[in-house]
Amino acid sequence: GGPNVSTARAVREQHGHDESMHGCAPPDAVVWPQAVGQVQELAALCYQHRVPMVPFGTGTGLEGGVNAVQGGVCFDLSRMDAITELSLEDFSVSVEPGVTRKTLNNHLRGTGLWFPVGTVDAGE
């Protein structure tokens, strides 16, 4: 409840589009889960009531994937932003879905590692 759920029009519209050319299709509600268990409970409720679920990260997608074309509940995962494990030896890191590239790179600062936006072919 409270600060973890919103049905305000402005919030729903913010979560109803990304950087794509597609128009806004807002969800019926936006929720901010903060733990895996909360996501599981919300997903079970949505499944039980046949309500569409729309995951939302930062809204920078180019495909219109966050558009809630059939309404539903938007799961804004931005508050699930923990970096849970880092192994410098095998160059792996485990993160929650709300961790951004910038946050990860700040965490990696001083290790000699970084997470680039994309990969570059050696021939380029």
Side-chain angles (χ1 to χ4, degrees):
N4 299 315
V5 179
S6 180
T7 57
R9 181 179 177 162
V11 174
R12 293 184 307 113
E13 287 179 353
Q14 175 190 0
H15 288 81
H17 65 88
D18 55 16
E19 298 295 323
S20 71
M21 62 176 212
H22 303 290
C24 183
D28 299 309
V30 178
V31 296
W32 287 267
Q34 298 174 34
V36 171
Q38 291 176 335
V39 173
Q40 291 170 329
E41 288 179 44
L42 290 164
L45 282 169
C46 287
Y47 178 79
Q48 178 182 354
H49 296 282
R50 302 191 50 80
V51 174
M53 298 173 277
V54 182
F56 187 92
T58 58
T60 58
L62 300 174
E63 301 84 16
V66 300
N67 292 51
V69 295
Q70 296 180 350
V73 177
C74 175
F75 289 42
D76 184 324
L77 303 171
S78 63
R79 295 182 185 168
M80 294 180 66
D81 60 354
I83 298 170
T84 58
E85 186 178 336
L86 171 62
S87 174
L88 298 176
E89 295 78 30
D90 63 6
F91 304 109
S92 68
V93 62
S94 296
V95 301
E96 290 184 340
V99 174
T100 65
R101 178 184 55 82
K102 287 183 180 182
T103 299
L104 179 56
N105 281 330
N106 283 338
H107 186 79
L108 293 173
R109 186 174 291 143
T111 67
L113 302 175
W114 79 97
F115 186 76
V117 173
T119 58
V120 178
D121 182 27
E124 292 182 357

